[in-house]
Amino acid sequence: MACPSPFPDGDFVATFDPRLFRESSETALALLEEHLADHSVRGLNLTDPAVLLGAARALMTTESRHVAKFDAKRLGAILDLYIRTGIPVHSPGYMGRQFSGVVPLAAVVDLVSSVVNQPSSFYEAGQLPNVAERIMAEELNRFIGWEPGTFAMVTTSGGSLANLTALLAARNQHFPSYWAEGTAAQGAGGRPAIAVGADVHYSVERAAGVMGIGAGQIVRLPLNARRQICVERARAALDEARARRLKVFCLVASAGTTAVGAFDPLDELAALARERNLWLHVDGAHGASLLVSDRLRDRLRGIEQADSLTWDAHKMMYVPAPCTMLFYRDRQHSLGAFRQKASYVFDEKPDIYTELDSGDKNFECTKRPMIMTLWTLWAMFGPSLFAQKTEYLCRLTKEAHRILESEPDFRTLHVPEANILCFRHHPAELEDKDVHRFQVAIRDRVKQRGTFFVSKVDVDDVAALRVVMMNHQITTKHFRMLLDEIRRAGQELLGTERTPHQRTGHE
């Protein structure tokens, strides 16, 4: 009997040819270079899903019996469709969300990470990524302010997962038996509860649900006029929670709320947390990056007193998503979120290599080496890259606020603390009862036109237009162009919504 060949003989082997990698990469790079060079003002060009579905299906090979041969034109068409149907984050017309256009070099590093494919939860699988995590933890802690060697940092795939992980660590510290016994471990002390600001990110409530803490056990703390947690009124809310037999174990503060970019008073909340024996977690997914700037760092005054901190680098450090860092003030607390054994990944005898493992500290076993994009930019350009761009975006947002204040048909809702600004278009003839639906309709109409992309948010249960300045290509000229676009949309809506009686002006 003939022995089987030790070499693969399928036609799939050709897809792994390094020369094919170069050819396909050059196709992609040519399209992306053109994409990055386009500074035209454009927003989101929404495509009918049925049309896009048809276009995507038309690009698929019909070969099924064999591996289809590489078709450069097909690849170019696929990539072109991908680029054209995405949000143009590098355009001055994009002002709608908190994810940004990336520093192009970071995308190159992300490509390398995809090719070498080194999951980074364990040192042996991703050596440099784990070393880079240690370096970035130390570098960024220079701005947080903890004693070197006493804190810990782990990367997670997104701020939502970081918030969940921190809340698990906080719960397990206050309810040590909960991991093994579940709700039976609550005892006579009351039901576990989490205190949050009224504008907290929805991921915190989701995390509570995942942990078995119902929505009724989330204590929402009142806000002040700046939409920050009001510390004095928070005390009364915590007292009321205790009367309801809720045992609050964690206070979640925000450093840059998603709604308006507000920064809670961390130093005052830290004092309150100590007074009530609460874990203080800071969701700084958006705003923690301000720490890198000497001019903006005071927004997070008191951050060194937090027990944990979520920090998204894929927001205001301009790297591909996801890249989130979860910091713990006490390094021992980083071991508290998960408590289990798995012989196939966790070594029985720690050594110099396993000391850098993070698999026992984060939910993910297979985790992208996301830190590589951030560390490479830091290594190549230093912290000033991030500080300068962030400072520009915050100055731009303040100037946009000043412009709105001078326009009688616009109403600002807050003084921006970072790069998020919420406002309403309110022409003189608009009745108060119509303000909500008017803002929603304007946002939809502006989006459909495809020149600008802005978001909306409800502030005090009334819709507002929301811009997030993430692109340094944007200037005040572009913001004034946006206001003109909003006015045109508003005039059209008022014209179509008036009755014939109103349009003629007759009584």
Side-chain angles (χ1 to χ4, degrees), residues 313-366:
H314 58 261
K315 289 188 170 70
M316 295 183 70
M317 298 189 87
Y318 320 112
V319 300
C323 180
T324 297
M325 297 163 288
L326 172 59
F327 287 85
Y328 295 93
R329 178 162 54 94
D330 184 339
R331 64 184 306 173
Q332 292 303 312
H333 289 164
S334 67
L335 299 169
F338 309 103
R339 301 174 183 176
Q340 58 198 137
K341 296 181 179 180
S343 61
Y344 43 85
V345 287
F346 301 135
D347 288 309
E348 295 181 16
K349 295 181 179 180
D351 54 31
I352 61 171
Y353 309 113
T354 60
E355 183 185 348
L356 276 77
D357 289 353
S358 61
D360 55 346
K361 305 177 186 68
N362 60 260
F363 188 81
E364 301 153 285
C365 181
T366 302

Side-chain angles (χ1 to χ4, degrees), residues 360-390:
D360 55 346
K361 305 177 186 68
N362 60 260
F363 188 81
E364 301 153 285
C365 181
T366 302
K367 182 179 68 173
R368 281 184 61 82
M370 58 194 82
I371 199 68
M372 287 301 298
T373 56
L374 178 61
W375 174 70
T376 302
L377 294 183
W378 197 277
M380 294 289 293
F381 302 121
S384 188
L385 161 65
F386 311 100
Q388 287 186 30
K389 176 166 178 174
T390 300

